Amino acid sequence: MDNKIARLQEIINESKKIVFFGGAGVSTESGIPDFRSEDGLYQMKYKYSPEYMLSHSCYENQPEEFFSFYRDKILTCINCLPNSAHKKLAEMEEKGKLLSIVTQNIDGLHQKAGSKRVWEVHGTVHRNYCQLCHKHFSAEEVAELENVPICSCGGIIKPDVVLYEEGLDNQIVASAIKDIAKADTLIIGGTSLAVYPAADFVEYFRGKYLVVINKGKPVLRQKVDLYIDDSIGKVLSQIEV
């Protein structure tokens, strides 16, 4: 492992335009459960499947069920703090090493750690808007409202997150792909790359080094230059920038 950390340090030292592509594993060390691990949301027992309760169909047809699950299992992230991975990535950006972060997470912890250029491909819990008057609400305001959150105009307040059955934001996708395409190093961390279409973004990488830091090796068509089977926070905390 020491040799792999040393190699990662060499790659980061050499690189000038790093893009970090992250998933749920980046935030598990902050106490936020992922979906597919042994303790993930997919392993818990509910009245309906997590996929359904986080779907557009559930939001439209059973909003009480949707918001009950959303507050209980998703909005709890607003009380979580950035971990060593979030902090190291923010430091890398500040030092001019990191071009941007492309994240599948919706918790906003990268920004809380100080990162500025973050492409949130699945949206964020921190933006919520009324579907009638388009007034914006914070995650804290949504958490405090009971049952289905209703705006003063009578409209339902919808989280700005990409639910199952919904498409990604084209502008955010284009920006994320553009950065990946011009990166000299792409670090994939805390993701199994099982969620599409976000996993397809890696296809646009044309740089020198492809690095994967994840517990369990994701399936990639591209040649991986360095693979570290460990938690992203533990690994990045050993890097100096």
Side-chain angles (χ1 to χ4, degrees):
M1 181 58 73
D2 289 343
N3 290 339
K4 289 193 173 185
I5 297 296
R7 180 56 182 148
L8 177 61
Q9 183 72 67
E10 290 175 355
I11 290 173
I12 289 175
N13 290 345
E14 182 182 334
S15 304
K16 297 181 179 179
K17 291 185 290 185
I18 301 170
V19 169
F20 179 82
F21 184 102
V26 178
S27 294
T28 52
E29 291 171 71
S30 294
I32 300 175
D34 61 11
F35 280 76
R36 293 172 175 80
S37 70
E38 290 182 4
D39 300 319
L41 290 179
Y42 284 0
Q43 310 305 321
M44 300 178 185
K45 303 300 181 184
Y46 302 102
K47 183 178 179 181
Y48 303 101
S49 70
E51 295 99 326
Y52 174 71
M53 286 190 286
L54 290 175
S55 70
H56 184 81
S57 293
C58 185
Y59 170 79
E60 288 286 343
N61 302 321
Q62 295 177 279
E64 295 86 0
E65 291 284 351
F66 172 85
F67 280 104
S68 175
F69 181 82
Y70 182 75
R71 285 196 185 91
D72 187 36
K73 296 300 179 184
I74 306 299
L75 266 189
T76 53
C77 71
I78 65 176
N79 299 314
C80 295
L81 297 174
N83 60 51
S84 54
H86 300 107
K87 294 174 183 176
K88 182 61 67 173
L89 291 166
E91 182 185 356
M92 288 169 65
E93 182 185 45
E94 184 182 7
K95 296 290 181 64
K97 282 286 184 182
L98 190 76
L99 177 61
S100 67
I101 293 168
V102 179
T103 180
Q104 300 173 82
N105 297 339
I106 59 175
D107 50 50
L109 289 180
H110 285 297
Q111 291 91 332
K112 192 178 285 189
S115 293
K116 302 292 190 292
R117 191 175 176 88
V118 183
W119 304 117
E120 298 170 306
V121 296
H122 292 152
T124 175
V125 300
H126 296 284
R127 291 192 303 268
N128 305 269
Y129 59 92
C130 171
Q131 291 203 285
L132 284 183
C133 72
H134 305 296
K135 179 181 177 181
H136 285 252
F137 295 83
S138 68
E140 288 76 14
E141 288 174 306
V142 172
E144 290 173 1
L145 294 172
E146 296 181 357
N147 302 318
V148 179
I150 302 295
C151 177
S152 58
C153 77
I156 295 179
I157 302 168
K158 185 181 186 298
D160 191 12
V161 299
V162 179
L163 304 177
Y164 287 100
E165 305 167 345
E166 294 181 343
L168 304 184
D169 182 291
N170 290 334
Q171 188 172 359
I172 292 176
V173 168
S175 298
I177 288 174
K178 183 178 179 180
D179 278 1
I180 289 173
K182 62 185 179 183
D184 53 14
T185 294
L186 178 63
I187 301 176
I188 299 171
T191 176
S192 61
L193 294 177
V195 178
Y196 290 85
D200 285 329
F201 293 3
V202 182
E203 299 286 345
Y204 293 88
F205 177 62
R206 297 291 183 271
K208 188 172 183 180
Y209 297 115
L210 179 59
V211 177
V212 174
I213 307 168
N214 189 59
K215 289 185 175 180
K217 194 169 185 177
V219 178
L220 277 168
R221 300 184 186 93
Q222 299 88 346
K223 174 182 173 292
V224 175
D225 297 284
L226 176 64
Y227 167 57
I228 302 177
D229 186 358
D230 210 336
S231 66
I232 184 72
K234 180 180 176 182
V235 171
L236 290 186
S237 64
Q238 301 177 66
I239 296 299
E240 296 182 4
V241 291

